[in-house]
Amino acid sequence: MNRPQPTIRHDWSTDEILALHNLPLLELVGHANAVHSRHHDRNAVQKASLLSIKTGGCPEDCAYCPQSAHHREVKLTRDKLMDPAGVLALAKRARDAGAERFCMGAAWRQVRDGREFDAVLTMVRGVRALGMEACVTLGMLKQHHAAQLAEAGLTAYNHNLDTSPEFYGEIITTRTYADRLETLAIVRSFGIDLCCGGIIGMGESRRDRASMLQVLATMAPHPESVPINALVPVEGTPLADRPRIDPLDLVRMVATARIVMPASTVRLSAGRSALNREAQILCLLAGANSVFYGDTLLTTPNAGIGEDGALFAALAPLTESDEHDPLRQPSSELVTAAAS
Ligand code: SAM
Ligand code: DTB
Ligand code: SF4
């Protein structure tokens, strides 16, 4: 007998999403966890690896981004596009360390035809030949670029909304929300998966967070991948002094994304290094099912592979022989609290 398929809605309103987001925390996380286990293997957490293949000097003015050429105080060297052989050696290393997906980011406003784009196509083919999913984030693109990326076997294109349509103008002035939606539509029309999410902690309201999720959750189909980033405040950017968010805000955002986009991969992305092991596990319980794995994100530090060893060890089943495994020791805060 066929089991009824859980419904996936595309008609969410911002008010409905905000009401979910503001539920009592335990009710929200419980609801999200129930949705999660209906649509996904509850023990599966995909490891994705991230590499900046072209760093710095970007003409866009995204207020959060250390790679923008507008933020002259940021201490970041500008690099040329990496060569495909070097990129593929790092992809292989990431695969051997357990990554299933390799995401390559370039600080470009848009894709341009020529030698550099051809090199990116070579990287995509190479990553796919290693048996990994390949994702790129290259800024805006035209139809013929999407066609070439699809032909090279690209799994997904990352292009974030970043925030709500209402708050967007406070963060970026050099391209519009409509530009972003147009890029997403082009990518989608060539059968490439969408990786599209945003950032919390930039000064937006709760309604802005719900409003961004409303734009994502009314896309049909939903983006296959939804990265939820917490702002990493970088010295020299206009958002350098933003206070760190409460980790439970990230839990609420992840849980709400999970409920409104039940089948998507929700990625616990930037900002994870500021969370302890237990806060990360709460995010996973609330429906996140992927993390970026590796010591750096694009230009900023990530939770280190060592810390992630402890995270993944904590998620694994207990065995008779691991009772005294140091990776299973509780996190330092708990030890300190217990000793005092
Ligand atoms: N230039 C491309 C673009 O913007 O489409 C790709 C690279 S961009 C760095 C990819 C995403 O990383 C951004 O859209 C943003 O959501 C996220 N990001 C960048 N800097 C961040 C920061 N300081 N904290 C959190 N997320 C950040
Ligand atoms: C996404 O949403 N987050 C990742 C990935 N997509 C490309 C990037 C996070 C970048 C954080 C800042 C940095 O390291 O430069
Ligand atoms: Fe450029 Fe992307 Fe950074 Fe914006 S987020 S400044 S487009 S690299």
Side-chain angles (χ1 to χ4, degrees), residues 101 133 135 154-158 187-188 190-196 222-225:
R101 183 171 174 110
E133 296 177 6
C135 179
L154 185 71
T155 312
Y157 195 85
N158 168 247
V187 170
R188 177 58 92 203
F190 285 88
I192 299 169
D193 283 359
L194 288 190
C195 174
C196 185
H222 293 154
E224 286 74 13
S225 161

Side-chain angles (χ1 to χ4, degrees), residues 50 64-67 103-105 137 158 160 162 195 197-199 227-229 232 234 269-271 292 296-301:
L50 201 52
Y64 51 78
C65 187
Q67 304 203 65
C103 310
M104 296 166 275
T137 177
N158 168 247
N160 287 342
D162 281 341
C195 174
I199 310 178
I228 303 292
N229 297 276
V232 179
V234 180
S269 303
F292 285 116
T296 40
L297 291 164
L298 289 173
T299 65
T300 64

Side-chain angles (χ1 to χ4, degrees), residues 58-62 64-69 71 106-109 139 162 172 175 180:
C58 181
E60 302 280 350
D61 69 352
C62 312
Y64 51 78
C65 187
Q67 304 203 65
S68 165
H71 316 323
W108 288 338
R109 171 174 161 77
D162 281 341
I172 298 144
R175 71 176 150 194
R180 292 201 180 239

Side-chain angles (χ1 to χ4, degrees), residues 6 32 48 65 85 95 102 111 125 135 154 157 208 230 249 298 323 339:
C65 187
R95 183 196 65 182
F102 197 68
V111 175
R125 283 190 205 98
C135 179
L154 185 71
Y157 195 85
D208 286 315
D249 283 0
L298 289 173
E323 201 164 351

Side-chain angles (χ1 to χ4, degrees), residues 10 39 47-49 72 78 101 148 161 163 172 177 182 212 225 237 254 334:
H10 300 276
H39 290 265
K47 293 175 186 150
S49 177
R72 293 175 191 280
R78 294 179 184 195
R101 183 171 174 110
Q148 285 171 276
L161 295 178
T163 190
I172 298 144
Y177 217 75
E182 190 185 327
M212 181 187 86
S225 161
T237 63
V254 164
L334 280 183

